[in-house]
Amino acid sequence: MSRDVDGDSTPAAPKGSDVAVPEIRAVSILNALGSLDWLIPDDLINDTRLTHWTKHSVRGRTIAHLIVAVFLMSVMCALGQGVMYYKMTDSPDLRLSISLLYTFCVVFALASLLTFKYVHRSAALLSNSYAGFSFIMTLGIHALTGLSMTSPVVPLYFFIPAWAFLSCSVRAGICWTLIIAGLFVAISAIEPLQLPFPQIIPAEALPLNRLMCALTAIVLTGFCLYAHQTSFLALTDQLDEDRSLFEHKAQHDALTGLANREQYDLRLQSALDQVNRGRGQAGLIYIDLNDFKLVNDTHGHQAGDRVLQIVAQRIEALVRDTDTTARLGGDEFGIVLPQLENMDSVSRILRELDRSLSEPMRVSDLTLEISGSIGVALAPDHGRDAVSLTRHADREMYKSKVRRSNTGLSRVV
């Protein structure tokens, strides 16, 4: 907790909280692929969420970078493969078919990337486009290498459904599975007809081509699994952080960051349970700001909110790590002091609270002086249950307010 209570910083989370605002953590693979930003939509690169919740944005950018990188690598490999197949045949018709196939696939890939960049930033659309690119490319080569189940390119088909399942969606994965299955059925029906499909790969080069295509399918599928696992772990981390954030919000006051009444009641009951088991004493301090309404009426609610934040920070700076400070509503605060060994610590906190709350506080261009009425109750001296202890502390606070009714006015200096 910062002790610069009159600054404009937002109060930190209460002591004892396990929740922290996530730090901006760069993903190593994102840094390695940062040169691909020119193909990533600007609104994804300049996502304003990077100033707060970075995990989700970094994860989305990383997935986009990975898909774009795979797309570009596939295009470059396709160009090299096209040149190789072009040189394997002397037939003008086959060379024209190869040229048209690879030209179409490259144009399709570039159109998909530009659509992702300027029209639609959906990574699912880009993933499906890559699946379509792979299918068209594989089917075209398959047709040029006999269109039979013994073709070297057959293993490449199995990568497409895996890619769709892992990077698109379950629906896309099922659709591509059905498409590939239907294609295999069609090829099995056509193959006995022995139609005159070309075979541009020489017989002596077929074993090597089969090996290369099988290895390519394995590497691409392994890459999909790796990317999916990385994405899954990032999503798990994000869900854990979101769950912690929601739990923190459910237990703490949004304005001051202190515990709310629900959390305060739980901590008070826990402290009393310790007392009732014979483990020391517990204390309860009630604080009510004097004439806080005057601050709101005179200087506005924004100034009043800032006063509450400063008061919360000053209280938090005085209590122990094991104590619980809560905003109970409006301008009322409560402090639970568990496991007290003697009254010395309570007396010290009361003296420092009275002094700290009376010190001038800077709010924008105003200097305000405000005091607080304080009531204290001890367990088991003033009760062993929350109701009795709260009633006693409230009465003591009211007596303090009556005594200080003429000395606790807020004013502008």
Side-chain angles (χ1 to χ4, degrees), residues 114-408:
L114 292 176
T115 300
F116 175 66
K117 167 72 174 179
Y118 295 108
V119 180
H120 199 290
R121 55 171 277 181
S122 170
L125 175 65
L126 188 63
S127 297
N128 272 300
S129 297
Y130 180 71
F133 167 84
S134 301
F135 178 76
I136 296 170
M137 178 70 69
T138 305
L139 181 60
I141 299 172
H142 198 177
L144 294 172
T145 55
L147 198 65
S148 68
M149 295 303 295
T150 59
S151 172
V153 302
V154 169
L156 295 177
Y157 284 115
F158 296 102
F159 158 73
I160 299 173
W163 170 270
F165 270 115
L166 296 176
S167 66
C168 301
S169 64
V170 173
R171 179 181 297 179
I174 293 174
C175 289
W176 281 109
T177 299
L178 294 176
I179 291 173
I180 300 301
L183 177 65
F184 283 175
V185 170
I187 292 174
S188 299
I190 293 174
E191 193 170 4
L193 301 178
Q194 297 184 347
L195 298 176
F197 287 100
Q199 176 56 267
I200 60 174
I201 301 177
E204 64 274 12
L206 282 175
L208 179 60
N209 274 266
R210 287 193 178 96
L211 176 63
M212 291 177 59
C213 289
L215 290 177
T216 301
I218 292 172
V219 170
L220 289 175
T221 304
F223 176 81
C224 285
L225 293 172
Y226 169 77
H228 175 72
Q229 181 69 6
T230 302
S231 175
F232 175 77
L233 292 176
L235 179 59
T236 301
D237 290 342
Q238 180 188 330
L239 291 176
D240 289 341
E241 290 178 355
D242 289 347
R243 187 181 300 110
S244 298
L245 175 66
F246 293 144
E247 290 176 356
H248 183 269
K249 286 184 175 181
Q251 298 174 353
H252 294 83
D253 175 60
L255 177 64
T256 62
L258 300 180
N260 59 15
R261 181 173 286 277
E262 180 181 358
Q263 182 71 359
Y264 164 85
D265 290 338
L266 291 175
R267 297 291 178 87
L268 176 58
Q269 187 58 52
S270 176
L272 290 174
D273 290 342
Q274 296 287 333
V275 171
N276 292 328
R277 285 195 289 266
R279 300 179 183 176
Q281 295 178 298
L284 172 61
I285 298 176
Y286 255 30
I287 304 171
D288 184 81
L289 301 184
N290 296 318
D291 296 301
F292 176 73
K293 185 175 183 298
L294 182 62
V295 175
N296 278 334
D297 294 343
T298 305
H299 307 297
H301 289 282
Q302 186 174 1
D305 289 347
R306 186 61 192 138
V307 167
L308 293 175
Q309 291 175 341
I310 293 174
V311 169
Q313 292 175 3
R314 290 184 177 183
I315 296 174
E316 278 279 84
L318 300 176
V319 299
R320 304 170 301 173
D321 290 340
T322 55
D323 299 334
T324 298
T325 306
R327 182 187 176 201
L328 303 179
D331 59 348
E332 293 185 359
F333 297 85
I335 307 174
V336 178
L337 309 169
Q339 297 180 338
L340 294 174
E341 296 181 357
N342 51 59
M343 277 294 296
D344 292 343
S345 57
V346 180
S347 300
R348 176 191 62 81
I349 291 176
L350 291 175
R351 290 193 303 270
E352 292 184 356
L353 277 174
D354 187 61
R355 173 191 56 79
S356 180
L357 294 179
S358 299
E359 290 180 354
M361 57 184 69
R362 190 70 178 173
V363 178
S364 298
D365 58 345
L366 303 173
T367 301
L368 301 178
E369 292 182 4
I370 193 169
S371 63
S373 297
I374 303 174
V376 63
L378 298 175
D381 298 346
H382 302 130
R384 289 180 173 270
D385 60 271
V387 175
S388 301
L389 214 62
T390 299
R391 186 182 297 117
H392 185 86
D394 191 60
R395 283 199 301 264
E396 292 298 312
M397 183 186 69
Y398 179 74
K399 292 177 183 179
S400 174
K401 184 175 286 290
V402 171
R403 288 194 301 268
R404 303 183 63 167
S405 60
N406 296 322
T407 60

Side-chain angles (χ1 to χ4, degrees), residues 100-115:
L100 291 176
L101 171 64
Y102 283 91
T103 299
F104 175 79
C105 289
V106 170
V107 171
F108 178 85
L110 295 178
S112 299
L113 291 171
L114 292 176
T115 300

